[in-house]
Amino acid sequence: MYQEEVKKSERVRILISCQDQPGIVAAVSQLLFQNGGNIVQSDQHTTDPIGGMFFMRIEADIQDFELHKQKIAQDFQQLSERLNINWRMEQASKKKRLAIFVSKEDHCLLELLWQQKAGHLDAEFAIVVSNHRDIQGIVEEMGIPFHYVPVNSSNKKEMESLQIELIQKNNVDIIVLARYMQILSPEFTKTFPNQIINIHHSFLPAFIGANPYARAYYRGVKLIGATAHYVTDELDEGPIIEQDVQRVNHRDQLEDLKKIGKYIERTVLAQAVKWHVEDRVLTYGNKTIVFS
Amino acid sequence: MYQEEVKKSERVRILISCQDQPGIVAAVSQLLFQNGGNIVQSDQHTTDPIGGMFFMRIEADIQDFELHKQKIAQDFQQLSERLNINWRMEQASKKKRLAIFVSKEDHCLLELLWQQKAGHLDAEFAIVVSNHRDIQGIVEEMGIPFHYVPVNSSNKKEMESLQIELIQKNNVDIIVLARYMQILSPEFTKTFPNQIINIHHSFLPAFIGANPYARAYYRGVKLIGATAHYVTDELDEGPIIEQDVQRVNHRDQLEDLKKIGKYIERTVLAQAVKWHVEDRVLTYGNKTIVFS
Amino acid sequence: MYQEEVKKSERVRILISCQDQPGIVAAVSQLLFQNGGNIVQSDQHTTDPIGGMFFMRIEADIQDFELHKQKIAQDFQQLSERLNINWRMEQASKKKRLAIFVSKEDHCLLELLWQQKAGHLDAEFAIVVSNHRDIQGIVEEMGIPFHYVPVNSSNKKEMESLQIELIQKNNVDIIVLARYMQILSPEFTKTFPNQIINIHHSFLPAFIGANPYARAYYRGVKLIGATAHYVTDELDEGPIIEQDVQRVNHRDQLEDLKKIGKYIERTVLAQAVKWHVEDRVLTYGNKTIVFS
Amino acid sequence: MYQEEVKKSERVRILISCQDQPGIVAAVSQLLFQNGGNIVQSDQHTTDPIGGMFFMRIEADIQDFELHKQKIAQDFQQLSERLNINWRMEQASKKKRLAIFVSKEDHCLLELLWQQKAGHLDAEFAIVVSNHRDIQGIVEEMGIPFHYVPVNSSNKKEMESLQIELIQKNNVDIIVLARYMQILSPEFTKTFPNQIINIHHSFLPAFIGANPYARAYYRGVKLIGATAHYVTDELDEGPIIEQDVQRVNHRDQLEDLKKIGKYIERTVLAQAVKWHVEDRVLTYGNKTIVFS
């Protein structure tokens, strides 16, 4: 009996942010309980014990979701007015659709594909966009639409319009710059706030900008890293989602750093995209809250 | 105004376990809200989405705690009867009191002392108990009572009675076996369920029992580890709280493994004790839930 | 002038083992110097300062290798007789040929292919052998010969003969069990000593044998691991080449452990194979010396 | 017989650097063999296969060292003239003498003391120098001379003269800035090239200069680090010896970053000092070669 109801239930993720105040958890959990919801996971974070911001992520199973969903929305609307909260609700069954922007190198793209295939990454590959044709073959073999958009310094505006069109036409939820190597215009980045994830091949804020491996090599660092972050209109300054490093030593030449770096890039980017599509990342100022 | 109230407030940690059922979070958060509580952190875990166990840890600031605490206890008692939950409430300001059992080596004890001094470990050192006098000097210099209890195979029962007496007389909350090197009797371990933490010098369940480093050395492993666990009457089989490893290689002789191992032992044990005294560890069957 | 000679030079790897004795390094380095060799890297290991075994790996560039190689062999032969050393010389330009044995899962195979493509793994894929047809398509698309060998309990002997034939016909240097899931007969393993690398999905010697993830799950470990080792006729007891672990917690169900485990399996196996094909691994008793 | 000779033997470490050229290893190993030496470990590094620099570290046991040492020096002198090499020989039995410079915090100093006591760090503590009296008690209890040198902006020159006098009078080999918090003058740093090791509380080159934890906190990094480096007259720009990081998340406030950071600082500094006193670190340009 109970089991059957669970089968008809829908897993939702609810994200809430507001000024901290007593009673939020009580109000939200009461709301869900009254609408057939069973909370299976919940995380929260208060930036400061006094007068700070409050963030919450709840995973809940809602029985007979189709019957309840309108009422839930109404109740949240009321709560929102009373406690001045921001909220959104995502259905786990509705997979996020990805647009992957790549240049010539395929390692980050392949890792995302592998993670999806292995069941780690719950997302759909809507389109791959590239300014080179190098990996068109491998992408199309996998049944993913490939779009060649040969952006250069003189046609950037026009090409970005084309990219935006592709993104909108294909119902893309998130744009992943998988070693895309092009700097997007502020107009582009502002169109998709917190929806563009880039992988930068250094441990930010060290080595912002071009040629981070070469600069790491000449500085003689003992660890190299990669950083996945949301793209803003300040280069490599957006909110950091994930970073990781690997040990290197004096034997490693610049070429070795690049090889080892590829390994970090692909795992860090895949982790960040996974968290994003599972609605685990909230931004606050220039920082992220990751309910991992 | 608000700030003043916060100043009078008391930080509490509430731990709840029960059969999973809809409405628990709502009921508990409502209860706290009605008693002047503001939830600052909460974690929960359900072992299985259908028919599983539910565990929750809440940190909350209770305004005017002395006024509210009896009512909170009554309300939890009622809730407990209605939903069949187990619960306990701990005040963060009441520091747990530790009894450290050591033998000749001091590295685990020193790390615990350092962590406390550095503000990582929020606990009090009630007593140090040892079957050797090697580190009596260093312990007493730090103002901690040292008790020499020369346990051996023939006087174990008697010596354990003495130890239990010391523990009870000194209001000890938790017994830490910081490389104690003696096996406690089942009578002793049963007296303090989930209150004795041991550090075993291997990555359990590899190398249960004596001489784990020697066995790791002869097996040629590439990582060695240490495991902090609650002590039960089955040797090295109690619930694992924390484990970690370090890389070793063919150059490392048995003596090197022991040195590297000391480093892992002290950090793993300190982490486990820290989590325990912050009421972050729940046990379930032979496993732990660590709300870290 | 010097540069041209270097261009004609050949990179070789020389592996030496013998009873430790003064003068070995001098003799070997003198030998190479007199035969146009420039040592670019050398590593050595003595198991015990007194009366132990001595192991050395040298990378050297030999000028005009074709002219010198016979003389080098002769000189090593003489040295071998005088100092009772075992030696072998490998040319870096002669890539090792791999036979990959798989079952249904492709993650370890794909990682090896990716590492080769990315320039990390300097080897050739001679054949893929599988007892299932699940990944035939992907293998053949990459231009690697796929051999379906449907081994089962009743035809093992016959099928292993077929496998050995395939291995020998294709000049295979090393057999990689990339989650092959079948136990090889002692006859098979003895045919290829130190030439079969297996990935076991646990941190050996914990969880030897079947279902390591399930057993790790029920034991409640906080780290899971994988181990790459040479296969001997004792199950999961051969010399360990590489191991690694990842952190897990109480939220991770058995299925999560398997997913996280896949990630460790593929990186640990790829690392072990890389070291092997670069002639960096020597075995001694049941242990490995890895000149990484 | 052989064993007795070994007992009389002396362990030495020989460090060599020169332009790369064929025959160096042969010449050096021959030299040692002819003077009663048995090489027990050797490492080498060539910065570039063509025309690069060559670096070597050898550990050898020299029989009857007192008889041989003059001849070894003469032979190296000749070799040095012939092949234009730089060399030095250190006796393992002559422990390096440390001057530890500290301010108010003791965690780095305590770790160094613990590592020495545990047998990891083979060095002598000559003096502790501080601009505060906070840790005088703990230092003197351990029998180490404590010198209070109250440096400030107006008396820096004078105080540094006093420090240099203390260093020279006490036969100090290496100065360790264990969170000293003062910037040394160029005159001071030039007096002790590659002899001053500092611990900087960030992952250099990120967060050079003051308040790295605060800046890491506001940037929202997901890993924080520490860097041990030789001090040059450019702030935080000297050759890096060792770095490490630890994961942090959105829950960690600035105070938490500082606590976690202390842990990294003490282990990274201890590792760097250990390598230095074992003569494992060579510098080349602004980089280190660490034969670990």
Side-chain angles (χ1 to χ4, degrees), chain B residues 40-43 106-108 110-111 114-115 117-120 138 141 251 258-260 262-263 266-267 292, chain D residues 40-43 106-108 110-111 114-115 117-120 138 141 251 258-260 262-263 266-267 292:
Chain B
V40 291
Q41 203 183 320
S42 95
D43 269 297
D106 61 6
H107 59 287
C108 287
L110 289 180
E111 182 71 18
W114 181 81
Q115 298 256 4
K117 199 164 159 271
H120 296 234
I138 199 164
E141 253 172 49
R251 293 196 201 282
K258 287 180 182 172
K259 281 181 195 172
I260 296 167
K262 276 185 183 180
Y263 186 85
R266 61 185 181 131
T267 54
S292 65
Chain D
V40 291
Q41 202 182 320
S42 96
D43 268 297
D106 61 5
H107 59 287
C108 287
L110 289 179
E111 182 71 17
W114 180 82
Q115 297 256 4
K117 198 165 159 268
H120 296 235
I138 199 164
E141 252 171 48
R251 293 196 199 282
K258 287 180 182 172
K259 280 181 195 171
I260 295 166
K262 277 185 183 180
Y263 186 85
R266 60 185 181 131
T267 55
S292 63

Side-chain angles (χ1 to χ4, degrees), chain C residues 9 14 21 76 121 173 176 190 211 230 240 249 287:
Chain C
S9 80
I14 293 156
Q21 54 197 301
F76 264 118
L121 180 63
D173 295 294
V176 179
K190 279 174 185 157
N211 299 321
Y230 288 118
I240 294 170
N249 65 38
K287 299 166 80 163

Side-chain angles (χ1 to χ4, degrees), chain A residues 112-121, chain C residues 106-107 259 262:
Chain A
L112 290 167
L113 289 165
W114 180 82
Q115 297 256 5
Q116 187 218 32
K117 198 165 161 270
H120 296 234
L121 180 63
Chain C
D106 61 6
H107 59 287
K259 280 182 196 171
K262 277 185 184 181

Side-chain angles (χ1 to χ4, degrees), chain A residues 106 111 117 263 266-267, chain C residues 106 111 117 263 266-267:
Chain A
D106 62 5
E111 182 71 18
K117 198 165 161 270
Y263 186 86
R266 60 185 182 131
T267 55
Chain C
D106 61 6
E111 182 71 18
K117 198 164 159 270
Y263 185 85
R266 60 184 181 130
T267 55

Side-chain angles (χ1 to χ4, degrees), chain C residues 2 158 193 229 254 289:
Chain C
Y2 180 60
E158 184 190 348
H229 62 96
L254 178 48
I289 291 152

Side-chain angles (χ1 to χ4, degrees), chain A residues 61-88:
Chain A
D61 289 325
I62 312 284
Q63 289 173 43
D64 301 311
F65 180 69
E66 287 305 316
L67 297 178
H68 285 114
K69 73 177 175 185
Q70 208 167 342
K71 182 66 168 38
I72 292 172
Q74 282 169 11
D75 289 357
F76 264 118
Q77 194 48 41
Q78 279 183 20
L79 196 68
S80 169
E81 283 156 20
R82 183 158 65 86
L83 299 179
N84 200 21
I85 66 171
N86 296 307
W87 72 284
R88 64 186 172 96

Side-chain angles (χ1 to χ4, degrees), chain D residues 203-248:
Chain D
F203 179 88
L204 289 175
F207 309 123
I208 287 173
N211 299 322
Y213 290 128
R215 288 149 68 205
Y217 177 72
Y218 290 110
R219 180 60 187 94
V221 297
K222 298 299 184 184
L223 297 167
I224 58 167
T227 304
H229 63 96
Y230 288 118
V231 175
T232 60
D233 54 1
E234 272 193 89
L235 185 65
D236 298 334
E237 294 285 2
I240 294 170
I241 306 167
E242 174 64 339
Q243 308 188 281
D244 208 355
V245 293
Q246 290 246 333
R247 205 156 272 283
V248 295

